[in-house]
Amino acid sequence: WLVALKNIFSKQLPNMPKEYIVRLVLDPRHHSMIVLKNSAVIGGITYRPFWRQAMGEIAFCAVSANEQVKGYGTRLMNHLKEYVCDKEAMTHLITFADNNAVGYFQKQGFTKDVMMEREKWVGYIKEYDGGTIMECHLSAQVSYTEFPAMIRKQRAAVDAKVRELSNAHVVYPGLVHFSAPAGPGGVRKPIPAEHIPGLQEAGWEPPGLPRYRLLHPNCGDGTPSYDNLNKFMRALVNLTTNHADVWPFLEAVSAEEVPDYYDVVKDPISMEVINARVDSGEYYATLEMFAADHRLMFNNCRLYNAPDTVFFKCATRLEGFFEAKVAQGISWKQARDRGVLGDR
């Protein structure tokens, strides 16, 4: 078995001289733990215990190439920790890991920050050029071979407690609404939020009306209801499309005239699209959504065009005009006076 283990080390650790591997594996001062599969050695660890320091130095650790990525390395290391902690009263494992092994040892609980006193290991363990010293502190209170089962039990306990406190584990059927063809302009009729399965069970409550009032004429009583908001947005679109600086934004940018535009602008939009969404009467549920599309349009323009271009300047002037008209059309003060905000 030791000869078979030596052969695995020689094959999996090509940078180590074979004579050196033979000397350590067969050295009585070194111990080896092997992995057997169908009575054949497929991997193992060779280590040297230092009894006075309660420390073990891992010299070699490898699993044969055709048995890797199957969890044998982790199980091997867990059994080694359990054995040296329980049978040999060790409190630390230490090793010099090459660049290819650092990741493996980190996953097994080793760290590059060696907390053990230097006098316990300097001059005792073997040092290698290009290696990284790594340490693992062992605890007698932990059963390393039962550790995966313990984690599974803890995860199951946490999951059961979460199921008691919430409905997050309940899976509802998808919305068939989105499998149907979209309407004109790609707009779909909105679904009332209270009709979405599971939303009310999750604690959702209707948000209520926005915290402002509409001042623009033809907006009814000024309450920011869905219909009144749509009238306000229609008025804003009319004002914007009649502005002298709107001409670059009326239609989508032609890919034939500006071939690289859509390589730069990933979310294009134009007044033509905004107008269609307002006409649908169903796309913009809030004034914030409507204003966000305008700001996206202006930002797209400034993203693609240099500051000294006429397009960039049009975007800045038109944005200022649009923001001013939005501010003029709503009032927070009247909302407070009429109690729209409610108690605070």
Side-chain angles (χ1 to χ4, degrees), residues 51-67:
W51 310 107
R52 187 168 61 86
Q53 295 97 319
M55 172 191 74
E57 176 204 4
I58 296 177
F60 309 121
C61 175
V63 175
S64 59
N66 59 333
E67 298 293 348

Side-chain angles (χ1 to χ4, degrees), residues 24 48 55 102 127 153 196 203 265 269 296 305 318 329:
L24 265 60
R48 180 177 177 178
M55 172 191 74
V102 169
E127 300 185 22
K153 289 180 180 179
I196 299 177
V265 176
I269 193 169
L296 173 64
N305 298 284
L318 187 61

